Amino acid sequence: MHAIAIHGGAGDLPRQMRSRAREALYHDGLACALDCGYEVLERGGNSVDAVTAAVGVLEDNPLFNAARGAALTREGAVELDAAVMDGRDQRAGAVAAVRHVKSPIELARRIMEKSHHVLLVGAGAEEFALEEGLALVPNTYFRTPERWEELDALHSGRAAPELEHSPQGTVGAVARDAAGNLAAATSTGGVVNKRTGRVGDSPIIGAGTYARNGVCAVSATGHGEYFMRIVAAHHLCAGVEYRGLALQEAMRETLARLSELGGRGGLIAVDGAGRIAMDFTTRGMFRGARDSAGLRQIAL
Amino acid sequence: MHAIAIHGGAGDLPRQMRSRAREALYHDGLACALDCGYEVLERGGNSVDAVTAAVGVLEDNPLFNAARGAALTREGAVELDAAVMDGRDQRAGAVAAVRHVKSPIELARRIMEKSHHVLLVGAGAEEFALEEGLALVPNTYFRTPERWEELDALHSGRAAPELEHSPQGTVGAVARDAAGNLAAATSTGGVVNKRTGRVGDSPIIGAGTYARNGVCAVSATGHGEYFMRIVAAHHLCAGVEYRGLALQEAMRETLARLSELGGRGGLIAVDGAGRIAMDFTTRGMFRGARDSAGLRQIAL
């Protein structure tokens, strides 16, 4: 049994952007990432390869809030965060507040595999990216006209900065490979109009990203600060590991705890048996799931 | 019942630094911070006030690896991380990779209380510090001759970068006030010879710092990357909350899980009843504890 689930952010398309053609674009973007990650598993690749491949596809797609197409800071720049975790030995790599690394998830993986560290931020992270020969691009590479418009609308008071009104979240993937290894990966531009230097839950191991073999792998999307305060991904894992909750049940309970504080968002997870759970307390969540038992589902 | 515990890092004094006079300096530094935090509780102050006061005293003391006297990056600079968490509503504030903020724990507290964010890093965090009117100082303010010597010895191969050989850890405090509110705070310069931009467990909510009323408040010290990978502080809390473990037991189990991965360090915690636990797998841990039942203990 191998399985993968992905998300492209919690929330919904703004009313004015909702059209059949536009929804088809999002659907295709998710399908492309899902199938790309699934192919890796199908060919016998491991779960870390699968989740980084799927997240990489979503990073390159300007429709989603990660790398190209990321939400803008209040100064109109892009600052990117990402993390990956290998459930086998619980190694992890994460990166935050980088401005020029074309694929933050690739950098997170290099940090996991080639450095003695878990988290590198800012210019120091980019120094490491250069040492590793990763592609750096100008900050403008990430910035799309849609995101300019979104920020401009916020600054001129034409729209409220509501999570519901666009797929702000993040992108992420969780997978179980045929050998039973779990992995999780998350990448994001963060919340629109954020302060320079603001880091959300995505690159925080335990908050937005977590994986432990035999238990589950988790990736989160939504209002990051709330996920950080309840250490959401690890909380979900602890529910499965120590409270004997089923994956879906532990996910519900984690979202309920988030709601108690006033936070909303979504979670995807896969457990040691390859069972997938996807749930959210926002109006929608861009998501997809596929496994070797024949499941293939994509939903907005 | 009110209670406070502090740590000044895991590890031990290097052999050549071990003298009665030197040990007395560390002892006095810990006593000063412990009593300062305890005074806050004694006067009816809350646990957040107490832990930030205690950590602030250790930050200013050049003997400890936080703010003044912090360990140096491989380029010889100081980069500081800190976090504070209020167990009452699980609000949290954290800061990482700042170079000029005189008291990182004070900035973490401002982030918790005055921003919508949990974690700010680098220049963006310093921008917020300036907006809040906090004191900024040149990077050289933090740098002591002892830390220069330590880095130089490493670079010239005169000493191995072993955790055991100096109090590298961090500084931290946990407290329960008379109203039963729990809080935790941690501040650090990180590991000596670290990469620019490396962030350890201290400012990561759930890894190096965590507090939840009725359960426990935790601050960690040691090899940060391992604490991040097991989400140590939250893991300890989950042990108390969901597995019915006593505080000391949950702490032992957390350190055991750390050892499984090859990591070492120490933890301090206080539970909802004001019981204190302090434990470590390093050769020593600079620590102190005091409560309203008459306990007052300081140990290296």
Side-chain angles (χ1 to χ4, degrees):
Chain A
M1 178 74 161
H2 46 272
I4 183 166
I6 63 167
H7 67 77
D12 201 355
L13 285 178
R15 201 166 312 228
Q16 73 278 11
M17 283 169 70
R18 243 178 276 158
S19 70
R20 199 161 290 204
R22 188 130 188 119
E23 284 178 2
L25 282 176
Y26 279 97
H27 184 281
D28 292 352
L30 289 168
C32 181
L34 182 66
D35 293 339
C36 171
Y38 185 77
E39 286 299 308
V40 172
L41 298 174
E42 194 71 13
R43 289 197 315 268
N46 69 41
S47 53
V48 171
D49 289 332
V51 294
T52 50
V55 166
V57 169
L58 293 167
E59 281 184 337
D60 290 343
N61 188 330
L63 291 173
F64 298 96
N65 178 14
R68 191 133 178 268
L72 303 180
T73 70
R74 64 182 193 183
E75 278 96 10
V78 166
E79 285 196 343
L80 304 167
D81 308 333
V84 61
M85 187 158 191
D86 185 340
R88 211 168 12 178
D89 47 13
Q90 294 190 266
R91 281 189 311 158
V95 60
V98 291
R99 291 175 167 237
H100 306 101
V101 178
K102 188 159 184 267
S103 173
I105 197 66
E106 181 62 26
L107 176 55
R109 188 174 179 168
R110 293 293 178 100
I111 290 168
M112 174 171 82
E113 292 176 346
K114 300 281 185 69
S115 83
H116 299 295
H117 298 321
V118 168
L119 173 59
L120 295 178
V121 305
E126 300 197 336
E127 184 72 31
F128 182 71
L130 285 167
E131 290 175 23
E132 285 294 311
L134 296 190
L136 265 68
V137 294
N139 197 253
T140 48
Y141 161 82
F142 301 108
R143 210 161 59 191
T144 59
E146 288 77 11
R147 292 295 184 186
W148 256 129
E149 167 62 22
E150 178 187 53
L151 187 69
D152 187 54
L154 272 175
H155 285 180
S156 60
R158 279 184 286 126
E162 290 175 31
L163 178 67
E164 290 293 2
H165 285 160
S166 62
Q168 296 291 358
T170 49
V171 308
V174 295
R176 179 201 192 271
D177 60 31
N181 292 314
L182 302 179
T186 313
S187 182
T188 190
V191 63
V192 61
N193 204 31
K194 69 181 179 182
R195 270 184 175 277
T196 301
R198 177 266 188 186
V199 177
D201 63 316
S202 303
I204 305 299
I205 299 306
T209 306
Y210 203 67
R212 180 168 166 80
N213 266 17
V215 186
C216 59
V218 185
S219 174
T221 170
H223 198 150
E225 276 73 6
Y226 294 95
F227 283 86
M228 295 167 88
R229 288 164 57 193
I230 69 162
V231 198
H234 188 262
H235 180 86
L236 200 168
C237 265
V240 172
E241 189 169 5
Y242 300 124
R243 303 163 76 184
L245 301 180
L247 190 67
Q248 181 65 46
E249 209 178 350
M251 187 174 280
R252 265 283 108 188
E253 194 273 338
T254 302
L255 289 170
R257 183 170 279 203
L258 200 74
S259 297
E260 278 168 30
L261 296 183
R264 281 184 300 179
L267 290 159
I268 60 171
V270 61
D271 70 11
R275 279 182 296 257
I276 287 169
M278 306 190 281
D279 204 351
F280 48 93
T281 50
T282 40
R283 210 154 54 193
M285 178 168 75
F286 295 69
R287 63 201 185 276
R290 191 169 173 189
D291 69 24
S292 54
L295 171 76
R296 186 174 180 277
Q297 179 202 344
I298 288 158
L300 317 182
Chain B
M1 178 74 163
H2 47 273
I4 184 167
I6 63 168
H7 67 77
D12 201 355
L13 285 178
R15 201 167 313 228
Q16 74 278 12
M17 283 169 71
R18 242 178 277 158
S19 69
R20 200 162 291 205
R22 188 130 189 118
E23 283 178 2
L25 282 177
Y26 279 96
H27 184 282
D28 292 352
L30 289 168
C32 180
L34 182 67
D35 293 339
C36 171
Y38 186 78
E39 285 300 309
V40 172
L41 297 173
E42 193 72 12
R43 288 196 317 267
N46 69 40
S47 53
V48 172
D49 289 333
V51 294
T52 50
V55 166
V57 169
L58 293 168
E59 281 183 337
D60 289 344
N61 188 329
L63 291 173
F64 299 95
N65 178 13
R68 191 132 179 270
L72 304 181
T73 69
R74 64 182 193 180
E75 277 95 12
V78 166
E79 285 197 342
L80 304 166
D81 308 333
V84 61
M85 188 159 191
D86 185 339
R88 209 164 17 173
D89 47 12
Q90 292 190 268
R91 281 189 310 157
V95 60
V98 292
R99 289 176 169 237
H100 306 102
V101 178
K102 186 158 185 266
S103 173
I105 198 64
E106 180 63 25
L107 176 54
R109 187 172 181 170
R110 293 293 178 101
I111 290 168
M112 173 171 84
E113 292 176 346
K114 300 282 185 67
S115 83
H116 298 296
H117 298 321
V118 168
L119 173 59
L120 295 178
V121 305
E126 299 197 338
E127 184 72 32
F128 182 71
L130 285 167
E131 290 175 24
E132 286 293 312
L134 296 189
L136 264 67
V137 293
N139 197 254
T140 48
Y141 161 81
F142 301 108
R143 211 161 57 191
T144 59
E146 288 77 10
R147 292 295 184 186
W148 256 130
E149 166 63 23
E150 177 186 55
L151 188 69
D152 186 54
L154 271 176
H155 284 181
S156 59
R158 277 185 286 125
E162 288 174 32
L163 179 65
E164 289 295 1
H165 285 161
S166 63
Q168 295 292 355
T170 48
V171 309
V174 295
R176 180 202 193 268
D177 60 31
N181 292 313
L182 302 179
T186 313
S187 183
T188 190
V191 62
V192 62
N193 204 30
K194 70 181 179 182
R195 272 184 172 275
T196 301
R198 177 267 188 181
V199 178
D201 63 315
S202 303
I204 305 299
I205 301 304
T209 307
Y210 204 69
R212 180 168 167 81
N213 266 18
V215 186
C216 58
V218 185
S219 175
T221 170
H223 198 149
E225 275 73 7
Y226 294 94
F227 284 85
M228 296 166 88
R229 288 164 58 192
I230 69 162
V231 199
H234 188 262
H235 181 87
L236 199 168
C237 264
V240 172
E241 189 169 6
Y242 299 126
R243 304 164 76 182
L245 302 180
L247 190 67
Q248 180 66 44
E249 210 178 350
M251 186 173 280
R252 265 283 107 186
E253 194 273 339
T254 303
L255 290 170
R257 183 169 280 205
L258 200 74
S259 297
E260 278 168 32
L261 296 185
R264 282 185 298 180
L267 290 159
I268 60 170
V270 60
D271 70 11
R275 280 183 294 257
I276 287 168
M278 306 190 282
D279 204 352
F280 48 94
T281 50
T282 40
R283 211 153 52 193
M285 179 168 75
F286 294 70
R287 62 201 185 276
R290 189 168 174 191
D291 69 24
S292 55
L295 171 77
R296 186 174 180 279
Q297 179 203 343
I298 288 158
L300 317 183

